[in-house]
Amino acid sequence: MTDKEPPGHKGRDGSDTDRAVVVNTPPVTAEEWDVPSRRATVAEENPQYRSDSPIAIVVFTPDLDSEFQYYSGVAPLKLTRLERSDVDYYAFPQPRLRKVGSRGPIEVDINQIHPSPYHSRTFSISDNRQFIEDIIARGKPPKPPVVWANRNHTHTYTRAQSDSLTLLDGHKRVWASHVAGFDEIQILGMYLDDETATRVWANRHLDSYNRTETNCARNRLKNKWGESYRQFF
């Protein structure tokens, strides 16, 4: 873990920027967070701020866009994931940061988005005609669907990795947008581990499923997780 580089930090695209995105706020203070490369704590590196200031973990914007292009700020990036990535992240006392904006939805090709493997509800045009017409009139769904961005596939020829996009919430919105003829849609991307992503999906669906849908989802969860599928109920 390192502290912020001097002003003039260059992103991977060569741009000069001091803009960064807060991706995590661990429950520790500046005096409790060590900076191994400096052999000091964040508090010692920032003596003008209170030593008991909470810290924020940031990634400079160009690097974040390069490694976590679908990150929308909906959920924190875990430090273990940051450690596995190629990006540098930095710890600041929160009072040192000045908010200049917020991370918002990301626009993607609608064909990139896949349904959750546990989703067991179907939709018909006749039952949702008004919903579809409202989306056409609005030009977008009522709110962006929540999507799990998971780095789990490598291109055969380039060996470059890319993120698969799996729906956690908003299957009907994406389906209706397909029917409406949209080529692109805004999403809220979350970088999670498989278990957490499954839990997010379960929390947003199982309570609203009827018995048939619940049984179908239960069987799909059991096929994937074995007897530990019960944790999602």
Side-chain angles (χ1 to χ4, degrees):
M1 302 153 193
T2 60
D3 200 359
K4 182 182 177 183
E5 294 182 11
H9 168 84
K10 285 186 178 292
R12 291 207 180 106
D13 61 358
S15 61
D16 289 310
T17 178
D18 284 324
R19 288 204 172 195
V21 177
V22 175
V23 297
N24 203 318
T25 53
V28 295
T29 65
E31 63 187 345
E32 296 171 327
W33 190 272
D34 292 325
V35 186
S37 64
R38 308 287 185 89
R39 296 183 179 180
T41 65
V42 170
E44 290 169 335
E45 288 290 307
N46 297 269
Q48 66 273 45
Y49 299 97
R50 288 174 57 102
S51 61
D52 60 354
S53 297
I55 69 162
I57 303 298
V58 308
V59 175
F60 283 98
T61 304
D63 293 343
L64 185 70
D65 291 340
S66 173
E67 185 74 9
F68 299 103
Q69 60 178 315
Y70 302 114
Y71 180 72
S72 302
V74 184
L77 284 172
K78 287 189 175 182
L79 299 182
T80 51
R81 179 175 286 274
L82 289 171
E83 291 284 1
R84 294 196 307 268
S85 73
D86 293 328
V87 303
D88 294 321
Y89 62 92
Y90 306 87
F92 286 124
Q94 288 186 23
R96 181 175 171 180
L97 302 175
R98 179 173 62 88
K99 184 174 180 178
V100 295
S102 59
R103 197 80 169 177
I106 308 294
E107 193 163 275
V108 302
D109 181 339
I110 197 170
N111 293 304
Q112 288 182 257
I113 307 171
H114 304 286
S116 165
Y118 315 116
H119 184 72
S120 57
R121 180 171 289 165
T122 58
F123 311 108
S124 71
I125 293 178
S126 59
D127 291 340
N128 293 280
R129 194 171 301 279
Q130 186 60 54
F131 184 65
I132 296 167
E133 290 177 357
D134 289 344
I135 285 179
I136 293 173
R138 187 184 294 109
K140 60 181 180 180
K143 59 182 179 179
V146 177
V147 173
W148 173 32
N150 183 35
R151 179 147 302 176
N152 63 357
H153 114 249
T154 304
H155 292 293
T156 304
Y157 299 108
T158 65
R159 307 308 299 171
Q161 291 184 320
S162 64
D163 300 322
S164 64
L165 301 178
T166 303
L167 276 166
L168 297 181
D169 190 39
H171 291 75
K172 182 177 176 180
R173 280 167 271 158
V174 174
W175 167 81
S177 297
H178 265 293
V179 175
F182 293 174
D183 294 321
E184 296 182 328
I185 189 173
Q186 289 188 331
I187 64 165
L188 293 173
M190 304 170 72
Y191 284 84
L192 307 169
D193 59 80
D194 195 350
E195 182 176 323
T196 304
T198 302
R199 194 178 307 283
V200 171
W201 174 85
N203 287 342
R204 293 175 181 238
H205 289 84
L206 293 179
D207 285 347
S208 63
Y209 273 7
N210 61 34
R211 180 175 296 180
T212 300
E213 293 164 344
T214 299
N215 287 337
C216 180
R218 179 182 288 109
N219 289 334
R220 292 175 178 176
L221 287 164
K222 191 172 182 179
N223 286 338
K224 165 73 175 185
W225 297 95
E227 288 305 316
S228 67
Y229 84 93
R230 300 177 190 279
Q231 67 179 302
F232 303 115
F233 286 81

